[in-house]
């Protein structure tokens, strides 16, 4: 019997003894006079047990069954052991069709003595957040992080892009190391699915900014000297995309915070779904992003997106690549990375009629191999 129930019994016994009136008892117990008469009658007929709540010891009608609770705990221990509580709840719904509230999942796991991997993390230093852009596509934050996403593979570099206005992750791509091709693949996905963004927000990696930037004196600038653009900058300039270089990791905080979330969720899901190679991981990413964005992306202030459509006459393969200038000899041959190549026509057999010593632009990427565009060509 609880303290309140004991107090109720003492007061009702005083009413039965005539020490208190029903009206006085009602004031003491904060009940109606009618309830006092009901309690008085019940105690007389059934004794002290009448004041004990009738649901004491009973399982609530909406309570989870022991079988379901045990099934959830088994799944947690055997399959989802490295997920945080919120991610675990999402996976129960997506994979097993078990729909529970966050509080229910927390209560089940907490009662079983299971702690979330994120529970004891240190509070971080708080930085003032910049207001989001009003339209999707106005500003896209891009970055890369190296992490042991798949233990059997070792560290892999995950390139990512997140829209500033919506928090939607627009693209992810794995490579062995942070590289320009990884960022080119991000842009290929973004442009193919959403369109051309207005600007990119990136760090000062030499992919995004020349190391000589800021080293030119005023005198040199007056003489017309400029710092050459990086290959990535040239590609973005061709597409009309500006690059803004962040001065600190905190400045591009949305993409920095994304890595913390993905190191929890993505790594766990790669293990859960048996992904054991970089190729399979890249194939899995679109499915992961669909679920992730459904849960975490928000609506922008302005529903009209700022993405521009890629003109149909533009070949994206010829833009998202490395462009190098070369000269050909009398036989239409040029050198590239200590190898010699001959320029041929589209049939792959006929040597292209190029003026000796003419300049050509060589295009290279893992997607297109080696192509070239010629400054001067004899017309047949």
């Amino acid at each position: 019997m609880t303290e309140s129930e004991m107090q109720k019994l003492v007061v009702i016994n005083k009413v039965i003894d005539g020490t208190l009136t029903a009206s006085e008892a009602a004031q003491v117990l904060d009940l109606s006079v009618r309830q006092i008469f009901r309690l008085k009658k019940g105690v007389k007929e059934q004794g002290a047990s009448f004041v004990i709540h009738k649901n004491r010891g009973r399982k609530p009608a909406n309570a989870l069954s022991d079988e379901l609770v045990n099934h959830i705990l088994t799944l947690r221990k055997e399959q989802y052991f490295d997920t945080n509580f919120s991610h675990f709840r999402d996976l129960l719904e997506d994979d097993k069709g078990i729909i529970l509230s966050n509080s229910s999942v927390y209560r089940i796991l907490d009662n079983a003595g299971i702690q979330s991997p994120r529970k004891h993390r240190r509070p971080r230093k708080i930085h003032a957040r910049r207001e989001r852009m009003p339209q999707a596509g106005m500003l896209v934050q891009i970055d890369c992080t190296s992490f042991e996403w798949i233990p059997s593979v070792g560290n892999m570099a995950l390139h990512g892009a997140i829209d500033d206005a919506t928090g939607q992750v627009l693209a992810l791509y794995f490579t062995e190391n942070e590289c320009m091709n990884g960022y080119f693949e991000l842009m290929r996905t973004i442009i193919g699915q959403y369109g051309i963004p207005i600007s990119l927000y990136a760090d000062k990696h030499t992919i995004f900014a020349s190391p000589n930037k800021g080293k030119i004196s005023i005198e040199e600038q007056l003489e017309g000297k400029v710092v050459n653009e990086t290959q990535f900058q040239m590609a973005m300039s061709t597409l009309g995309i500006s690059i803004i270089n962040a001065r600190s990791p905190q400045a591009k905080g949305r993409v920095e915070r994304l890595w913390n979330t993905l190191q929890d969720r993505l790594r766990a899901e790669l293990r859960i779904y048996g992904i054991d190679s970089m190729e399979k991981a890249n194939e899995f990413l679109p499915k992961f992003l669909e679920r992730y964005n459904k849960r975490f992306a928000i609506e922008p202030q302005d529903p009209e997106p700022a993405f521009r459509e890629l003109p149909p006459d533009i070949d994206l393969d010829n833009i998202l690549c490395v462009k190098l200038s070369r000269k050909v000899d009398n036989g239409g041959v040029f050198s590239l990375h200590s190898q010699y190549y001959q320029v041929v026509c589209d049939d792959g057999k006929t040597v292209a009629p190029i003026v000796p010593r003419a300049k050509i632009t060589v295009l290279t990427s893992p997607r297109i191999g080696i192509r070239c565009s010629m400054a001067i060509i004899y017309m047949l």
Side-chain angles (χ1 to χ4, degrees):
M1 188 177 293
T2 65
E3 289 291 332
S4 61
E5 289 169 343
M6 290 178 64
Q7 180 189 19
K8 188 181 295 182
L9 179 61
V10 169
V11 172
I12 296 302
N13 281 331
K14 289 183 180 293
V15 174
I16 294 172
D17 295 341
T19 308
L20 289 176
T21 65
S23 178
E24 291 171 336
Q27 290 182 341
V28 172
L29 297 178
D30 195 22
L31 297 173
S32 67
V33 173
R34 183 178 178 182
Q35 287 176 303
I36 297 298
F37 282 128
R38 183 184 64 82
L39 289 170
K40 177 182 176 182
K41 180 181 178 182
V43 172
K44 277 185 175 182
E45 294 176 355
Q46 300 180 30
S49 62
F50 185 78
V51 300
I52 299 176
H53 199 284
K54 299 305 180 288
N55 283 336
R56 179 73 53 79
R58 291 183 184 179
K59 195 166 189 175
N62 61 346
L64 301 176
S65 66
D66 292 338
E67 182 181 1
L68 178 57
V69 171
N70 290 332
H71 180 50
I72 290 171
L73 290 174
T74 300
L75 289 172
R76 170 69 188 189
K77 292 174 182 176
E78 295 182 357
Q79 190 172 356
Y80 303 112
F81 52 84
D82 54 354
T83 60
N84 63 58
F85 286 4
S86 178
H87 189 198
F88 178 53
R89 190 213 71 84
D90 294 342
L91 291 171
L92 286 177
E93 181 176 338
D94 292 340
D95 295 350
K96 309 299 180 182
I98 301 173
I99 302 176
L100 297 173
S101 65
N102 281 326
S103 59
S104 295
V105 171
Y106 182 90
R107 184 173 59 254
I108 291 170
L109 299 179
D110 190 56
N111 289 341
I114 299 173
Q115 294 184 341
S116 172
R118 294 179 67 92
K119 186 174 181 181
H120 298 292
R121 292 192 178 178
R122 260 191 201 171
R124 296 178 185 171
K125 186 177 179 181
I126 297 175
H127 297 270
R129 291 195 180 187
R130 174 182 49 78
E131 287 295 321
R132 292 180 181 271
M133 290 293 176
Q135 292 176 284
M138 289 189 71
L139 181 67
V140 174
Q141 297 189 19
I142 59 175
D143 196 20
C144 179
T145 185
S146 182
F147 188 68
E148 190 179 71
W149 302 98
I150 304 173
S152 61
V153 176
N155 280 19
M156 295 189 298
L158 180 61
H159 302 70
I162 184 171
D163 182 69
D164 187 80
T166 64
Q168 181 177 5
V169 182
L170 303 177
L172 294 173
Y173 191 77
F174 281 114
T175 60
E176 292 183 2
N177 302 292
E178 182 175 9
C179 62
M180 186 162 47
N181 184 59
Y183 289 109
F184 278 156
E185 289 303 314
L186 284 187
M187 298 310 301
R188 185 185 306 279
T189 300
I190 293 170
I191 294 169
Q193 293 186 5
Y194 306 98
I196 303 173
I198 292 178
S199 59
L200 301 178
Y201 204 40
D203 56 27
K204 294 183 179 180
H205 194 287
T206 52
I207 290 174
F208 309 118
S210 169
N212 295 323
K213 184 179 179 180
K215 294 182 179 179
I216 299 181
S217 66
I218 296 176
E219 291 77 10
E220 289 174 323
Q221 292 180 44
L222 292 173
E223 292 173 1
K225 187 174 181 180
V226 295
V227 175
N228 292 332
E229 290 183 316
T230 68
Q231 292 286 342
F232 189 82
Q233 282 179 310
M234 286 191 291
M236 295 305 102
S237 295
T238 303
L239 292 167
I241 303 172
S242 62
I243 299 178
I244 304 169
N245 296 118
R247 296 183 178 182
S248 68
Q250 291 78 19
K252 50 186 180 66
R254 302 199 204 288
V255 71
E256 293 291 342
R257 288 189 293 274
L258 172 65
W259 298 139
N260 291 329
T261 305
L262 293 185
Q263 285 172 10
D264 270 349
R265 288 181 170 253
L266 179 56
R267 179 179 61 170
E269 292 198 25
L270 291 172
R271 180 192 59 76
I272 290 166
Y273 296 117
I275 308 299
D276 57 5
S277 70
M278 184 185 298
E279 292 74 19
K280 291 180 181 178
N282 279 324
E283 291 174 4
F284 172 74
L285 289 175
K287 177 183 176 182
F288 172 83
L289 283 183
E290 183 180 357
R291 291 201 309 254
Y292 183 93
N293 288 327
K294 186 177 179 180
R295 286 196 170 92
F296 295 109
I298 64 172
E299 293 296 325
Q301 296 176 32
D302 186 342
E304 185 69 25
F307 289 104
R308 295 176 288 114
E309 187 177 352
L310 180 71
D313 59 335
I314 290 183
D315 185 350
L316 205 55
D317 286 341
N318 287 345
I319 297 176
L320 301 180
C321 61
V322 174
K323 299 178 179 65
L324 302 170
S325 180
R326 289 292 185 271
K327 282 186 179 182
V328 295
D329 62 14
N330 294 338
V333 175
F334 66 91
S335 65
L336 180 68
H337 305 314
S338 302
Q339 296 290 328
Y340 290 95
Y341 299 89
Q342 188 173 49
V343 183
V344 296
C345 297
D346 292 338
D347 61 11
K349 298 177 181 179
T350 309
V351 177
I354 310 174
V355 174
R357 308 302 296 169
K359 284 188 177 181
I360 63 172
T361 300
V362 180
L363 317 179
T364 68
S365 79
R367 278 184 175 267
I368 65 174
I370 300 176
R371 294 180 183 175
C372 72
S373 59
M374 290 153 282
I376 302 174
I377 302 179
Y378 281 130
M379 299 299 294
L380 299 177

